[in-house]
Amino acid sequence: MFGSVLIANRGEIACRVIRTARRMGLRSIAVFSDADAGAAHVALADHAIRIGPPAAAESYLAIERIIAAARRTGAEAIHPGYGFLSENADFAEACAAAGIIFVGPPAAAIRAMGSKSAAKALMERAGVPLVPGYHGADQDPAMLARAAAAIGYPVLIKASAGGGGKGMRVVRAPADFAAGLDLAKGEARAAFGDDRVLVEKYLTRPRHIEIQVFADRHGNVVSLHERDCSIQRRHQKIIEEAPAPLIDETMRAAMGRAACDAARAIGYEGAGTVEFIAEDGAFHFMEMNTRLQVEHPVTEMITGIDLVEWQFRVAAGEALPLSQERIARRGHAVEVRLYAEDPARDFAPSTGTLARLRLPAESRHVRIESGVREGDAVSVHYDPMIAKLVTWDEDRDGALRQMAQALAACEIDGVQTNLGLLRRIVTHPDFRAASFDTGFIARHEASLLPAREAAPLAVLAAASQCWLAAQPHVPDPADPWSPWATRTAWRLNGARHQDVAFAEDGTTHHLRLHLQDAGRFRLESGGRAVAVSIATGAEGAQLVELEGEVTRLRAAWQGERIVVFTDGVRHALVPVDPHEATGEAEGADSRVRSVMPGKVVELAVAAGDSVKAGDLLAVIEAMKVQFRITAPRDGTIAAIDCAVGDLVEDGAELMAFADDHD
Ligand code: ADP
Ligand code: ADP
Ligand code: MG
């Protein structure tokens, strides 16, 4: 075994790899860009080397800089993590040329699977079942359109070089093919610098089931069973589990064999994943990812195997530690990817500082993989994943119960997150009953992405207490240290009650508080009056009692806002003058704003154009994903306030509607 490893990655996966390296007695070396000088992975490693500016192309993707860092620190091996250079055959070769062990498959195996088109051709020859489609070299648009017609609509256009759900477009009718092709190619060019595509039959109710394989250089190839990753948004996984519900032993064995055949066909070594799409009991090869997968922890939880340890052993030339029969499958594991993104705005990435970040405690049932800490920034430069939460139990129901509780314990402020969405999915009756496919989120959008709920009374009560505690402090002679001493101020003012208003997402809550005692007041809101009593619970939580019901929550000032967390839900309340007229800013509706920071890559309208609600106005690109900005209503565009190529902030005004009063 080698004695040191450089991790050519960042975030949670860098931290994950470092932990196993440490357990195995390997010296760990991190690399970082200027944006990550204070990042968790840098703090965790034994050594860390700066490799360049924030842009990934000049740091985490810069092969020479990473090799130079390895040379400088005497690293004997390089683990690429996932993403970045993990599936880059040139990088694997550069490592070999520098005499450094690449913890991954041989460059030739990476190349064989690097293009989805070429991989499909190869698998066809190896007898692995494929999704019907065209994966040839001819890229003439008219020819691709004819291929699509021959396959039969709907079809899926995919970037051959694709990954992460990027460069993929579903086309439902021939008339939309040309536009879909342009979008897919545009995204593919931006993300992979390669705009070749393939066209496939688009299956309408499939499941994504993949097999984790492992191979060594002594001819052993095993399957570490399957994962179901069907819960996806924008074709990217957000919830994964192992084993896959509702597959029987026959199908499991057949898929395992097909995956091992695929690995053998390309002389594979190390960890790899063969992805299949399954529908009506049949399964078809989609692609092989020649690296460690984001969702590998669910496999670790049911097999008890540390996949990173196996990667190190195989890379060092050892044989696989276990034969196929000895690979266990115990219980059920679920992983969710907690992202800084806004599900209500088409999952646009959300950037900002993690003003608060509390994740559940780890236990036998709960595992947390995160690469950020409270106070860290989620920037535009990298993937906006905050953490992966993984739960395990003896059966699926137990693992999902554990997950619902784990999600309820999360407190995140400073960025938008998909926490509420994840929570609603894992508690959804259809998901609980294992009745789902890759269209689950889209189909249940109405119930999974409900409009934000207005703060319930218990939340308003906790916010009121925070607000009261911040009022000018006049000591109560009876209890000079009590924050409730403010009541003295009220008495001095001759007031029996205090009016307060909290603004929340366009609504204003008007409250009247009648103070009684320390921690007790009456709260009037919307014609209701209730007695409130607040006590301190474990870990500084507030226990708010309203009419005999106690709610556990946590409320604190964050700048000008009072943020209240309860049961995995966050409410941000801004105290406003209760006597000021309410009502939203005038004319807000006439402006079209960017839903995220990014680059304007297309303007579909010009000043003077009239548009219908839903028409495409502009395309914004961020983190290599393109977002369509559509018209919120019918009207005429009065002015355009941006140009193609502009970098815009979240909320920046892109264009304005004419004030055509209706
Ligand atoms: P997987 O197939 O392992 O689930 P995804 O579908 O999430 O991975 O992502 C596909 C591509 O995006 C891969 O190349 C993956 O390595 C990359 N990727 C995903 N998440 C991250 C991340 N947090 N940092 C860097 N790259 C990522
Ligand atoms: P990536 O490299 O981005 O992971 P994949 O080819 O693995 O691309 O596909 C990503 C996801 O897109 C799949 O998990 C699946 O949900 C969906 N998908 C891919 N191919 C098809 C298809 N032919 N029909 C329906 N959905 C598909
Ligand atoms: Mg894939």
Side-chain angles (χ1 to χ4, degrees):
M1 177 61 54
F2 38 84
S4 57
V5 61
L6 179 145
I7 299 91
N9 214 301
R10 63 181 302 282
E12 65 90 13
I13 191 60
C15 296
R16 155 80 193 85
V17 173
I18 293 169
R19 276 197 296 274
T20 291
R22 177 151 303 146
R23 188 174 56 70
M24 293 176 68
L26 304 180
R27 183 163 65 97
S28 59
I29 301 140
V31 293
F32 62 96
S33 73
D34 292 335
D36 282 338
H41 74 284
V42 175
L44 196 61
D46 295 325
H47 299 269
I49 301 285
R50 175 192 176 271
I51 46 171
E58 296 171 72
S59 50
Y60 299 105
L61 286 171
I63 295 180
E64 342 66 64
R65 295 183 189 210
I66 288 172
I67 299 286
R71 282 228 169 89
R72 181 169 153 196
T73 52
E76 291 165 72
I78 295 185
H79 192 301
Y82 56 71
F84 295 130
L85 296 169
S86 61
E87 294 179 280
N88 187 311
D90 295 342
F91 181 57
E93 275 165 357
C95 291
I100 300 163
I101 295 167
F102 174 72
V103 182
I110 300 179
R111 280 214 175 88
M113 292 295 179
S115 150
K116 288 188 206 290
S117 305
K120 284 184 78 174
L122 189 73
M123 291 300 108
E124 199 163 28
R125 272 179 266 131
V128 179
L130 303 184
V131 190
Y134 171 80
H135 50 262
D138 190 346
Q139 294 287 305
D140 172 45
M143 198 286 309
L144 292 171
R146 279 196 303 279
I151 295 161
Y153 283 87
V155 298
L156 183 62
I157 307 175
K158 273 188 198 178
S160 299
K166 289 161 197 158
M168 204 177 282
R169 278 290 181 284
V170 180
V171 181
R172 299 189 187 273
D176 304 329
F177 188 82
L181 184 63
D182 279 353
L183 275 168
K185 281 187 173 284
E187 232 175 77
R189 222 175 295 123
F192 317 109
D194 176 347
D195 70 357
R196 281 174 293 175
V197 297
L198 59 86
V199 185
E200 273 179 4
K201 176 85 195 156
Y202 182 64
L203 306 181
T204 51
R205 294 209 152 205
R207 288 206 188 187
H208 172 120
I209 303 179
E210 58 185 32
I211 303 284
Q212 174 71 57
V213 293
F214 237 103
D216 63 24
R217 71 182 62 149
H218 310 283
N220 303 303
V221 183
V222 296
S223 153
L224 274 62
H225 316 305
E226 80 287 353
R227 295 182 285 255
D228 185 311
C229 314
S230 301
I231 302 295
Q232 307 182 342
R233 54 110 179 86
R234 283 201 267 99
H235 302 301
Q236 201 188 12
K237 305 156 186 169
I238 55 170
I239 301 185
E240 305 97 347
E241 57 185 297
L246 304 183
I247 89 164
D248 58 23
E249 284 306 328
T250 317
M251 184 162 166
R252 170 173 292 129
M255 292 182 81
R257 269 195 310 274
C260 290
D261 286 348
R264 271 188 213 97
I266 56 168
Y268 204 73
E269 277 175 33
T273 294
V274 183
E275 296 191 331
F276 296 99
I277 193 155
E279 196 176 59
D280 302 328
F283 61 90
H284 318 271
F285 172 85
M286 267 195 304
E287 65 165 343
M288 178 168 182
N289 293 323
T290 53
R291 56 174 160 87
L292 191 68
Q293 203 95 334
V294 175
E295 59 276 19
H296 74 279
V298 292
T299 299
E300 298 186 319
M301 301 296 271
I302 63 159
T303 58
I305 294 169
D306 179 334
L307 267 62
V308 174
E309 174 181 341
W310 277 34
Q311 284 189 296
F312 287 148
R313 294 197 181 285
V314 167
E318 295 180 22
L320 292 179
L322 296 175
S323 58
Q324 186 70 65
E325 324 68 73
R326 295 188 51 212
I327 293 168
R329 198 173 75 232
R330 174 162 178 208
H332 201 98
V334 183
E335 171 183 286
V336 303
R337 302 187 190 186
L338 185 51
Y339 279 106
E341 67 180 17
D342 190 352
R345 295 196 296 178
D346 200 19
F347 305 99
S350 170
T351 55
T353 298
L354 292 163
R356 186 167 182 86
L357 176 61
R358 296 295 154 93
L359 298 173
E362 292 199 277
S363 69
R364 194 166 76 87
H365 292 284
V366 180
R367 168 171 164 186
I368 308 291
E369 297 289 343
S370 177
V372 289
R373 298 155 302 185
E374 194 164 279
D376 285 353
V378 177
S379 76
V380 295
H381 302 294
Y382 314 111
D383 188 275
M385 188 155 74
I386 297 170
K388 304 188 300 205
L389 310 189
V390 188
T391 58
W392 179 92
D393 210 330
E394 294 293 346
D395 58 22
R396 183 171 190 267
D397 203 51
L400 291 177
R401 268 196 320 269
Q402 296 284 353
M403 185 58 81
Q405 286 296 100
L407 288 167
C410 293
E411 298 175 14
I412 305 171
D413 186 41
V415 293
Q416 297 291 337
T417 72
N418 63 346
L419 203 50
L421 171 70
L422 293 171
R423 188 92 194 285
R424 284 185 287 268
I425 296 171
V426 303
T427 55
H428 193 286
D430 287 359
F431 183 67
R432 295 301 277 244
S435 160
F436 61 84
D437 55 67
T438 58
F440 184 86
I441 293 181
R443 198 166 315 119
H444 296 288
E445 207 170 80
S447 59
L448 296 176
L449 306 175
R452 264 181 206 117
E453 291 155 38
L457 227 42
V459 167
L460 296 175
S464 300
Q465 190 206 24
C466 263
W467 180 82
L468 285 171
Q471 297 311 297
H473 189 94
V474 179
D476 177 347
D479 181 3
W481 300 103
S482 165
W484 296 94
T486 45
R487 69 193 170 117
T488 315
W490 295 6
R491 293 228 174 109
L492 289 177
N493 292 341
R496 319 278 310 214
H497 58 75
Q498 192 81 343
D499 287 332
V500 56
F502 294 118
E504 180 195 27
D505 288 337
T507 356
T508 305
H509 304 277
H510 287 273
L511 309 177
R512 175 160 289 183
L513 312 175
H514 303 263
L515 192 72
Q516 289 165 343
D517 233 322
R520 296 201 315 128
F521 55 93
R522 280 183 76 71
L523 186 157
E524 268 179 53
S525 160
R528 261 180 93 188
V530 290
V532 178
S533 102
I534 300 188
T536 304
E539 295 156 35
Q542 283 104 321
L543 302 175
V544 175
E545 185 185 334
L546 287 180
E547 297 176 328
E549 185 175 339
V550 177
T551 308
R552 183 189 151 89
L553 38 70
R554 212 182 273 276
W557 285 92
Q558 298 278 0
E560 300 295 298
R561 308 170 307 153
I562 297 171
V563 176
V564 186
F565 295 99
T566 175
D567 234 9
V569 178
R570 182 189 62 170
H571 292 276
L573 300 160
V574 183
V576 292
D577 185 338
H579 307 296
E580 203 123 276
T582 54
E584 285 311 285
E586 307 268 312
D589 182 41
S590 74
R591 289 180 180 73
V592 177
R593 297 175 188 282
S594 177
V595 295
M596 60 182 176
K599 185 163 141 194
V600 180
V601 292
E602 183 186 337
L603 277 171
V605 291
D609 284 1
S610 52
V611 296
K612 293 247 165 289
D615 281 359
L616 178 69
L617 301 179
V619 179
I620 305 287
E621 185 181 295
M623 304 193 200
K624 309 210 162 128
V625 179
Q626 298 192 341
F627 288 88
R628 297 159 57 88
I629 308 279
T630 55
R633 59 171 170 101
D634 296 357
T636 307
I637 301 298
I640 306 277
D641 302 304
C642 62
V644 171
D646 282 3
L647 291 173
V648 295
E649 294 295 320
D650 183 16
E653 191 173 323
L654 302 175
M655 56 189 74
F657 275 90
D659 279 326
D660 34 12
H661 306 284
D662 18 291

